């Protein structure tokens, strides 16, 4: 059958059911993408395991292939050799499909001495400037020009004092550019997310000399070359937190497997404060049926180890099921409350205060509806809301969800969720 060209896959949801069973957390999207970038820094083979099968990874691997890399993917393992990479202009369409492509700047600068790419795309959740990245490259001796394209170039990179200004990809980009620079670099005000630590550990396995890992001051002693290495991607803390909220909001009882509890302090603290009934058991997180009403709370995002902004929208759904007032305060991005007008249409009692803050009063019953995913996390948030709501919902633009969550329909169906993908 020929499909009309506006045709897009959707999720049909039949909500209001309690979920049960087990779901395993996949590898972390925001950890694997910097590691894929780092493979550009060596001509030797690298092997990465626990790689999630998501659209952003597919597209990042296509970018590497386009630059001349060899890529072999088997299950959740990827073997990459960047020996043949000579190009420094990654393909525009792919670059503009995700934010993480900004990491090609630091990696290609280290590898080829130059990079040219269109402005990276990704979620429209704020202005998302890259001044931190560019100031750092300049301090390392690179010149940069920004127009429709971003170009960076350096004859030689020289270690320097750098500032990460708590930007996640900013810190990662400076690490990628500094490992092959000559001399010592020190990144102050570095962001401290666990995936930044993983990137540093991977680079050290490749022969880099990075210390101060997992702190706000990272020291890098430049080396002349890097060799191949293997790494296993850490479990996705955002996915783990999202599944926990899904379980709580649908008042279900299920087990989330493969959880790194140490990355979830802020999530557990907020779930506990809101009255969610959960327990840790080995690497599992068990979500139990609630023993009473959930309670409203102040949900404020911040820099790791504070609550991740990526989990703010799912917490918004939980707030609709909690008694009393919840204040949502997304301190990190000024455009991440776009999901709330949609939740309002589904029956939530929401008042937007300003671009960073909103008030939600609960509990309210949610109604099914037709909702369009706006970005990865809001798409997943609508999915949770639709599973809470009694009756049928349609979620459009699900490529956003596929960018960050592996086979989410199959995995949720295994928990008994009413979810079908229609093509
Ligand atoms: N900022 C600047 N200047 C910069 C860079 C950032 O002012 O040069 C500001 C931003 O405007 C924002 C804050 O600093 O207010 C934090 O932004 P950051 O740079 O840390 O975000 P990012 O690196 O662009 C990554 C994740 C996001 C996640 C944020 C915050 C990747 C590929 N993306 O983005 O993930 O929300 O950190 O934790 O790692 C997602 O996965 O859905 C996602 C959006």
């Amino acid at each position: 059958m020929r499909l009309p060209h506006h045709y897009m896959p959707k999720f049909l949801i039949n909500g209001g059911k309690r979920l049960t069973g087990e779901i395993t957390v996949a590898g972390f999207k925001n950890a694997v993408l910097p590691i894929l970038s780092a493979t550009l820094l060596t001509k030797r083979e690298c092997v990465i395991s626990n790689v999630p099968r998501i659209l952003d990874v597919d597209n990042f691997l296509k970018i590497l292939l386009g630059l001349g890399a060899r890529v072999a993917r088997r299950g959740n393992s990827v073997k990459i050799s960047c020996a043949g990479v000579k190009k420094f202009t990654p393909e525009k369409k792919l670059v503009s499909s995700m934010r993480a492509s900004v990491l090609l700047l630091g990696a290609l600068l280290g590898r080829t001495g130059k990079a040219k790419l269109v402005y990276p795309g990704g979620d429209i959740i704020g202005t998302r400037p890259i001044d931190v990245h560019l100031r750092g490259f300049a301090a390392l001796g690179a010149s940069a020009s920004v127009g429709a394209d971003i170009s960076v170039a350096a004859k030689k990179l020289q270690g320097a004092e750098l500032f990460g200004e708590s930007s996640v990809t900013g810190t990662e980009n400076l690490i990628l550019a500094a490992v092959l620079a000559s001399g010592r670099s020190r990144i102050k005000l570095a962001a401290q997310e666990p995936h930044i630590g993983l990137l540093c550990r991977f680079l050290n396995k490749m022969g880099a000399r990075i210390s101060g890992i997992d702190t706000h001051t990272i020291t890098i002693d430049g080396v002349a070359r890097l060799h191949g290495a293997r790494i296993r991607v850490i479990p996705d803390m955002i996915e783990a937190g999202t599944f926990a909220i899904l379980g709580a909001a649908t008042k279900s009882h299920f087990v989330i497997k493969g959880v790194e509890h140490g990355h979830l302090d802020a999530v557990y603290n907020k779930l506990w404060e809101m009255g969610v009934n959960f327990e840790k058991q080995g690497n599992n997180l068990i979500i139990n049926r609630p023993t009473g009403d959930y309670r409203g709370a102040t949900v404020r995002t911040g820099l790791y180890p504070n609550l991740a902004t990526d989990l703010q929208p799912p917490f918004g759904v939980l707030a609709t099921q909690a008694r009393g007032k919840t204040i949502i305060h997304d301190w990190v991005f000024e455009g991440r409350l776009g999901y709330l007008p949609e939740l309002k249409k589904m029956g939530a009692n929401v008042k937007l205060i300003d671009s960073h803050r909103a008030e939600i009063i609960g509990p309210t019953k949610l109604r099914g509806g037709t909702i369009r995913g706006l970005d990865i996390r809001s798409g997943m948030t609508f999915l949770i809301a639709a599973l809470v709501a009694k009756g049928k919902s349609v979620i459009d633009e699900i490529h956003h969800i596929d960018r960050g969550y592996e086979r989410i329909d199959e995995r949720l169906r295994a928990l008994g969720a009413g979810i079908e993908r229609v093509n």
Side-chain angles (χ1 to χ4, degrees):
M1 184 179 76
R2 262 184 78 120
L3 296 167
H5 76 259
H6 59 266
Y7 178 76
M8 293 278 245
K10 305 173 198 305
F11 284 143
L12 302 185
I13 311 285
N14 192 4
K17 295 189 197 167
R18 298 233 154 87
L19 310 179
T20 177
E22 294 178 353
I23 190 163
T24 303
V25 175
F28 193 2
K29 167 180 84 77
N30 291 347
V32 70
L33 300 173
I35 293 211
L36 294 180
S37 306
T39 64
L40 281 166
L41 293 169
T42 177
K43 294 186 176 172
R44 299 299 169 89
E45 187 174 272
C46 294
V47 182
I48 309 154
S49 57
N50 201 30
V51 176
R53 300 192 65 89
I54 53 175
L55 209 52
D56 273 11
V57 166
D58 298 347
N59 284 335
F60 211 99
L61 292 174
K62 282 186 194 156
I63 292 178
L64 293 180
L65 280 167
L67 290 170
R70 278 194 293 124
V71 174
R73 200 166 177 185
R74 185 186 291 172
N76 290 85
S77 245
V78 181
K79 231 185 244 182
I80 301 177
S81 165
C82 289
V85 170
K86 296 212 170 51
K87 284 198 201 149
F88 59 94
T89 51
E91 205 214 294
K92 285 186 185 176
K93 216 170 135 222
L94 295 168
V95 168
S96 56
S97 76
M98 74 184 111
R99 178 70 185 177
S101 47
V102 74
L103 297 167
L104 294 161
L105 287 174
L108 283 170
L109 198 53
R111 171 61 188 271
T112 67
K114 53 190 167 183
K116 183 176 170 194
L117 57 148
V118 289
Y119 210 86
D123 299 335
I124 318 287
I125 52 180
T127 49
R128 309 197 81 178
I130 57 162
D131 52 301
V132 169
H133 311 231
L134 298 178
R135 270 200 297 280
F137 295 146
L140 289 166
S143 61
S145 72
V146 183
D149 293 320
I150 307 166
S151 297
V152 289
K155 283 217 166 57
K156 178 177 182 298
L157 291 168
Q158 178 67 47
E161 182 170 76
L162 306 167
F163 295 95
E165 291 193 39
S166 306
S167 163
V168 174
T169 50
T171 301
E172 289 164 350
N173 238 341
L174 299 183
I175 294 168
L176 290 166
V179 280
L180 291 175
S182 50
R184 173 170 285 193
S185 295
R186 186 159 278 148
I187 308 179
K188 294 186 172 168
L189 307 177
Q192 210 179 277
E193 271 64 9
H195 35 301
I196 298 177
L198 189 78
L199 172 66
C200 292
R201 288 184 184 90
F202 179 55
L203 288 164
N204 276 355
K205 281 182 152 196
M206 293 168 76
R209 291 176 57 206
I210 307 175
S211 57
I213 299 177
D214 292 328
T215 76
H216 290 303
T217 304
I218 298 175
T219 303
I220 301 166
D221 286 299
V223 295
R225 71 186 54 80
L226 296 175
H227 48 76
R230 291 174 172 262
I231 193 95
R232 183 178 169 82
V233 177
I234 52 177
D236 190 333
M237 62 183 192
I238 304 301
E239 196 177 79
T242 304
F243 291 161
I245 294 169
L246 168 69
T250 54
K251 307 204 166 120
S252 300
H253 166 71
F254 61 72
V255 180
I256 307 169
K257 297 178 81 178
V259 175
E260 177 59 63
H261 298 298
H263 297 163
L264 289 162
D265 289 338
V267 177
Y268 291 169
N269 183 43
K270 202 47 66 181
L271 291 176
W272 172 79
E273 192 187 335
M274 293 181 82
V276 175
N277 184 5
F278 65 96
E279 58 191 295
K280 299 186 237 175
Q281 215 173 69
N283 288 332
N284 295 345
L285 175 66
I286 301 165
I287 305 297
N288 292 312
R289 300 277 316 276
T291 49
D293 283 348
Y294 296 136
R295 299 178 288 272
T298 297
V299 177
R300 188 183 299 108
T301 67
L303 308 172
Y304 186 84
N306 290 301
L307 190 69
T309 160
D310 298 343
L311 283 172
Q312 175 270 110
F315 265 109
V317 179
L318 184 57
T320 67
Q321 303 307 301
R323 185 160 299 283
K325 180 160 62 169
T326 290
I327 296 285
I328 300 279
H329 183 179
D330 199 319
W331 181 86
V332 180
F333 289 114
E334 69 282 12
R336 223 166 196 177
L337 301 182
Y339 70 101
L340 285 173
E342 298 299 319
L343 277 194
K344 209 168 167 171
K345 285 185 209 155
M346 294 177 79
N349 183 353
V350 176
K351 197 166 88 195
L352 285 165
I353 302 170
D354 57 35
S355 63
H356 285 277
R357 290 177 305 161
E359 188 182 283
I360 299 176
I361 312 264
T364 47
K365 285 205 161 47
L366 297 181
R367 303 181 283 275
T370 296
I371 330 155
R372 194 166 57 87
L374 306 166
D375 58 72
I376 304 180
R377 309 302 171 191
S378 73
M380 190 62 199
T381 297
F382 296 145
L383 195 48
I384 298 174
L387 289 169
V388 171
K390 281 222 160 55
K392 297 205 157 66
S393 293
V394 178
I395 302 187
D396 277 328
E397 310 268 337
I398 60 170
H399 62 278
H400 290 296
I401 301 177
D402 290 333
R403 281 189 50 205
Y405 299 90
E406 176 176 320
R407 298 176 292 107
I408 195 67
D409 43 333
E410 277 174 45
R411 293 159 77 208
L412 293 181
R413 244 190 334 268
L415 289 178
I419 173 168
E420 293 297 330
R421 181 186 293 261
V422 290
N423 282 313

